[in-house]
Amino acid sequence: MFTKEELDEIKKALNIVEFIGRYVNLHKAGSSFRGLCPFHNDNDPSFYVHPHRGFYHCFGCGEKGDIITFYQKIESISFSEAVKRLADIAGVSVELSASESEYDRYTSIIAKLARIYSENLAGEPNNPAELYLKNRKLSRHTFEEFLVGYSSDSRTFVNSLTSKLRTQESEMVQLGILYRKGNTLRDRFEGRLTIPIDNESGRIVGFGGRQLIQEGGPKYINSPETKYFQKSRLLYNLSRAKGVIKELNYAVIVEGYFDVMALYEAGVSNVVGLLGTALTDRHLRILGNFTKNLLFFLDSDSAGQMATLRSIDVAERLDFATAVALVRGAKDPADLFSLKGSQGVQDALTSSMPGPVFRVELLSRDLDLSIPQGKKRLIESVRPYIESFRSSGNLSTVQLTIRSLSEKTGYSEDELAPLMRNRTDAHEEARANTTVTLKMKDLLRVYLQYPSLRSRVSRQLELMEPGKEMRELLRGMKKGLELEDLLDLVNEEFGREIIELASSCIDEDLAAKIIDTTNDYTNKRLVEEQIAEIDRKLSTLEDKEAKTALLIRRMELRRLLVRKRKGGD
């Protein structure tokens, strides 16, 4: 199906830590990254990603594999589909089989439908959709760029979809394009403006539909959720914006489609939309591949302001730097663009404030700060944030919050300084109590990096009388198992140590020297044990001839041991 070279190219093009980080909150742990396992109910992080070797391993449930395996399991898709979608994301060309995958079929039909809607908008002069877009002050270039379309409510248009898409009615119902109302099939978006929604790789996976005539029903609707269209995993316009976001090192986050289009029209290309959902960890992990700096530009009403505060909280928890641009004199960025044009948008963005300052500002709005009780309530509201920042080592945000709090309350920063007190981390991880010696660790490094020396390493370790945990590992080493499989034989703490050893490179000369040195060590150990055994026997032996023979043997072994300690044979 796919060649090894194609699979290797995909794995090489994608950073496994960044990719898995879209699904799991990972933290550096030595040369690896650690987080809660997404495949079982994990309370204590037992899931590790090893970037240098390109694999993940969970010590809790035993799940393991490479980036393709992970994507296949996390999205519940076939191997073939996982490869094709990862190839899309990586920008790698792979040889496709003659049979079309479910993903290809789905996105192909949705893309054709987007073009049909777009052509329908262009082909009906002065239709309600075009008039709506003109009122939004959007140019034809912008709505052509975003492939905005129109679904007529005429029966002729709906009936033509089956032939134009070259598919069956049943499949169109299954894909959420059509639905049954009585005995007739209706287009889900009939009479609505249609906005195609693509995924990160640019494939259209669903639609948003905007009501044009007030006749009841929701103002906005979306395609039904599928495994390819999940709003909590998508950011509108990311496929266009990701390159600019990376270049400018920040992303502007807005709520809706027309906010995105308005900012695009105003010359802001690094903008993404939330598709009407709250900002999620998944959104942030995707954005984290391109930047760690976010500028929120959400609606101006109280609900929008609280959504901004929640978004800041979520983003800061994942170590993003945040700022907020306020919409003044309009209800949202799209409305601001309609009223004040590109300059109004640019002015709002350039006068943005840091997220921590916005938080203090918002929390103080309903408080009377002219009295001590109001000031105390504000301080108590902000205190948990300061403690959280302090415990995570984010001192610059602590200082910014304290400064803003000082300006609001009139207290000096010195008076507020007790909020910055140190706290003992109750969750400090205890070091592993291991019986693995330094010599054993050296041999493990050789085993993991030089397959040709593995049999010698295994023999050496056997002679060193390994403890229980090492004996378990040795069983696998004698079979020649690779690192990924050896991790199944040990506990998490020992497993982390083994991963570290695998990352510590040694050259071949040093590897040979380790084996030779350890060989001398084990030989000396054997001689010492033989002497100790003779001593035990001598203490109980009564036969004089046998005793004399053992004494002679002991003397020979002592001479041999002295020679070995001096470096001789």
Side-chain angles (χ1 to χ4, degrees):
M1 167 97 73
F2 301 105
T3 65
K4 182 179 183 302
E5 289 73 22
E6 287 174 332
L7 299 180
D8 287 344
E9 191 177 355
I10 291 170
K11 293 175 193 177
K12 198 179 296 181
L14 295 170
N15 183 312
I16 189 170
V17 173
E18 289 179 355
F19 188 82
I20 291 180
R22 301 178 181 197
Y23 301 85
V24 181
N25 191 14
L26 296 172
H27 296 284
K28 195 91 165 64
S31 64
S32 304
F33 289 79
R34 179 188 186 196
L36 295 173
C37 179
F39 300 116
H40 79 285
N41 189 15
D42 193 8
N43 296 317
D44 182 27
S46 55
F47 182 85
Y48 288 81
V49 182
H50 195 289
H52 303 300
R53 290 183 172 247
F55 76 92
Y56 66 91
H57 186 280
C58 178
F59 290 96
C61 65
E63 284 287 353
K64 60 185 178 181
D66 58 20
I67 192 170
I68 299 172
T69 311
F70 179 87
Y71 194 45
Q72 185 181 349
K73 289 178 179 175
I74 201 76
E75 295 287 352
S76 301
I77 55 180
S78 68
F79 175 79
S80 172
E81 196 167 310
V83 171
K84 289 176 181 177
R85 288 168 71 175
L86 286 172
D88 264 356
I89 294 170
V92 171
S93 177
V94 293
E95 190 70 32
L96 300 178
S97 61
S99 59
E100 191 175 35
S101 74
E102 180 187 317
Y103 174 61
D104 289 332
R105 174 74 176 162
Y106 176 89
T107 53
S108 172
I109 291 173
I110 297 297
K112 286 178 188 172
L113 182 60
R115 287 192 292 274
I116 291 169
Y117 285 148
S118 178
E119 289 165 3
N120 191 49
L121 173 63
E124 287 193 27
N126 299 319
N127 63 56
E130 188 159 319
L131 293 173
Y132 176 84
L133 290 168
K134 284 179 181 176
N135 289 335
R136 285 279 192 178
K137 306 289 178 67
L138 296 174
S139 66
R140 178 167 289 277
H141 167 76
T142 294
F143 58 75
E144 284 178 354
E145 171 66 26
F146 286 87
L147 212 62
V148 177
Y150 174 56
S151 174
S152 303
D153 53 7
S154 72
R155 301 305 311 148
T156 305
F157 178 75
V158 175
N159 293 336
S160 70
L161 289 179
T162 306
S163 59
K164 287 180 179 177
L165 293 173
R166 298 180 183 177
T167 185
Q168 302 296 316
E169 288 181 351
S170 58
E171 186 174 22
M172 293 172 71
V173 172
Q174 184 183 353
L175 295 178
I177 298 168
L178 303 180
Y179 69 98
R180 293 194 178 278
K181 188 173 183 179
N183 295 322
T184 61
L185 282 173
R186 307 284 292 270
D187 180 357
R188 180 175 296 275
F189 298 103
E190 66 180 36
R192 289 177 179 267
L193 194 75
T194 59
I195 303 101
I197 301 165
D198 58 9
N199 59 22
E200 184 187 332
S201 58
R203 296 233 199 171
I204 299 172
V205 290
F207 293 93
R210 209 294 183 182
Q211 190 182 64
L212 295 169
I213 301 171
Q214 295 295 332
E215 52 181 22
K219 186 188 292 185
Y220 287 96
I221 62 170
N222 292 112
S223 295
E225 295 258 319
T226 67
K227 62 183 175 182
Y228 307 120
F229 179 73
Q230 296 178 37
K231 290 191 290 181
S232 64
R233 297 183 177 190
L234 293 168
L235 287 161
Y236 183 61
N237 193 48
L238 181 60
S239 64
R240 292 179 193 84
K242 60 186 180 182
V244 187
I245 290 172
K246 196 161 192 173
E247 181 184 343
L248 299 179
N249 195 23
Y250 79 98
V252 180
I253 298 181
V254 296
E255 277 193 34
Y257 319 110
F258 294 108
D259 295 327
V260 169
M261 290 183 218
L263 264 67
Y264 181 86
E265 185 86 30
V268 181
S269 301
N270 56 327
V271 58
V272 293
L274 291 174
L275 296 175
T277 67
L279 184 72
T280 65
D281 286 7
R282 182 67 59 81
H283 289 141
L284 289 166
R285 290 185 185 118
I286 293 171
L287 284 169
N289 295 309
F290 311 108
T291 185
K292 294 294 282 185
N293 302 298
L294 306 178
L295 173 54
F296 294 98
F297 195 16
L298 304 181
D299 292 2
S300 63
D301 59 13
S302 59
Q305 299 286 286
M306 291 309 296
T308 300
L309 182 58
R310 285 192 297 272
S311 297
I312 291 171
D313 290 349
V314 175
E316 287 179 343
R317 195 174 69 240
L318 294 182
D319 298 325
F320 281 81
T322 62
V324 177
L326 297 176
V327 180
R328 302 186 190 277
K331 68 178 188 295
D332 56 38
D335 191 40
L336 180 66
F337 174 77
S338 295
L339 295 171
K340 300 183 180 180
S342 300
Q343 192 59 50
V345 170
Q346 295 291 349
D347 289 345
L349 293 176
T350 53
S351 61
S352 61
M353 67 176 74
V357 175
F358 171 81
R359 178 186 288 112
V360 173
E361 176 72 30
L362 189 64
L363 292 175
S364 69
R365 283 185 188 174
D366 296 326
L367 299 175
D368 183 356
L369 298 181
S370 65
I371 59 175
Q373 292 90 332
K375 295 177 182 180
K376 183 180 178 183
R377 285 185 62 189
L378 178 59
I379 291 169
E380 290 304 316
S381 297
V382 175
R383 186 193 298 274
Y385 294 103
I386 293 176
E387 292 178 351
S388 175
F389 298 142
R390 183 68 186 82
S391 64
S392 64
N394 193 346
L395 298 183
S396 60
T397 304
V398 171
Q399 291 164 352
L400 189 58
T401 305
I402 292 285
R403 190 175 305 128
S404 180
L405 199 56
S406 173
E407 290 171 1
K408 280 291 176 186
T409 62
Y411 296 136
S412 70
E413 291 182 38
D414 288 339
E415 289 175 297
L416 294 168
L419 292 174
M420 296 177 65
R421 64 184 178 274
N422 285 315
R423 294 198 170 196
T424 303
D425 184 4
H427 303 289
E428 186 176 349
E429 195 172 334
R431 293 180 61 85
N433 181 18
T434 177
T435 57
V436 181
T437 66
L438 288 173
K439 285 186 171 60
M440 290 178 181
K441 291 176 184 178
D442 281 341
L443 286 171
L444 279 173
R445 290 166 67 202
V446 175
Y447 177 94
L448 294 167
Q449 294 176 47
Y450 293 97
S452 62
L453 300 174
R454 286 179 176 177
S455 59
R456 293 182 65 189
V457 168
S458 299
R459 284 198 300 273
Q460 296 281 2
L461 285 170
E462 274 190 300
L463 293 172
M464 296 176 76
E465 294 187 349
K468 182 181 177 183
E469 58 190 348
M470 193 67 214
R471 286 199 302 273
E472 288 295 310
L473 187 67
L474 189 55
R475 286 192 299 107
M477 293 172 68
K478 289 165 79 173
K479 296 175 184 176
L481 296 184
E482 297 294 337
L483 172 61
E484 295 89 323
D485 297 313
L486 289 176
L487 293 177
D488 291 332
L489 305 176
V490 298
N491 61 34
E492 180 180 341
E493 293 300 334
F494 193 18
R496 284 180 60 189
E497 203 163 2
I498 292 170
I499 291 172
E500 290 299 311
L501 292 171
S503 304
S504 174
C505 296
I506 52 175
D507 61 41
E508 198 160 0
D509 289 341
L510 180 56
K513 187 175 180 182
I514 287 171
I515 287 187
D516 290 341
T517 303
T518 312
N519 187 50
D520 289 342
Y521 169 78
T522 51
N523 285 340
K524 289 172 188 173
R525 283 281 308 276
L526 287 172
V527 172
E528 288 171 345
E529 287 174 8
Q530 287 184 52
I531 291 172
E533 180 63 25
I534 288 172
D535 288 341
R536 281 193 294 273
K537 288 181 179 179
L538 284 171
S539 65
T540 58
L541 200 61
E542 294 182 359
D543 186 306
K544 287 186 178 180
E545 284 189 23
K547 206 167 188 177
T548 301
L550 282 177
L551 285 168
I552 293 169
R553 177 60 181 158
R554 190 182 189 284
M555 290 170 62
E556 290 172 348
L557 289 171
R558 287 297 301 173
R559 284 196 292 268
L560 178 62
L561 189 59
V562 169
R563 285 201 302 271
K564 285 189 174 294
R565 283 175 177 165
K566 289 180 178 179
D569 294 327

